[in-house]
Amino acid sequence: MSDCIFCKIGTHDIPSNVVYEDDKLICFHDLEPQAPVHVLVIPKKHLTSLDDVSEEDKELLGHIMFKIHEIAESLGLEGGYRVVSNNGEDAFQTVRHLHFHVIGKRKMLWPPG
C-alpha cells in the first residue's frame, strides 16, 4: 500500500534503525519505546491486522514467530520478553499494518493495560 508507513519502512523508502531483515519481514527499533528494548517486527507483505490474515499467510506468521525468538536472543532478552500485537481500534492499533511489539529488559506488569 503506497500510503502505509510500515510498507515504506519495509521498502526502505523511510529510514529506520533496523535490527533484522530478510525477504519476509523487517524488525526495527520503536520510535516511542516503552521499555529499554522495544522493537517492531512487521511482515513486508501488507496485512492490515490479524483479522486480515488468510490460510495462505500461515507460513509467513510461523516465520515471524520463529524469527522473534532469534531477534529476542540477539537483543539479550534472555530474562524474558513480551510480544504484543494490537488488533483494531479498541486495542489501540495506531498503524493499520500487522506488527508485533517485542518488549524487554524490564519487569512487565499483569494485567497489561
Side-chain angles (χ1 to χ4, degrees):
M1 298 196 69
S2 63
D3 61 338
C4 174
I5 189 168
F6 283 177
C7 286
K8 290 178 181 181
I9 289 172
T11 58
H12 297 277
D13 291 333
I14 294 176
S16 63
N17 188 355
V18 175
V19 171
Y20 174 84
E21 180 176 13
D22 63 27
D23 62 325
K24 295 180 175 126
L25 67 87
I26 187 167
C27 173
F28 53 94
H29 288 276
D30 194 297
L31 291 177
E32 297 179 17
Q34 303 300 307
V37 173
H38 186 168
V39 295
L40 299 176
V41 179
I42 66 166
K44 290 185 175 180
K45 175 183 179 181
H46 182 83
L47 295 166
T48 303
S49 69
L50 286 171
D51 289 342
D52 194 29
V53 301
S54 68
E55 184 82 17
E56 72 181 35
D57 298 314
K58 287 191 320 186
E59 182 181 328
L60 173 61
L61 292 176
H63 178 74
I64 290 170
M65 291 298 113
F66 179 76
K67 289 298 177 179
I68 283 175
H69 164 73
E70 289 184 0
I71 291 164
E73 191 173 80
S74 76
L75 294 170
L77 299 178
E78 62 279 335
Y81 55 94
R82 182 167 287 165
V83 179
V84 177
S85 182
N86 300 320
N87 193 66
E89 189 175 313
D90 286 349
F92 201 63
Q93 182 182 5
T94 57
V95 178
R96 302 293 291 159
H97 184 116
L98 179 63
H99 57 285
F100 299 89
H101 299 259
V102 179
I103 305 165
K105 289 289 184 186
R106 74 166 171 85
K107 282 283 190 192
M108 300 292 155
L109 302 175
W110 196 261

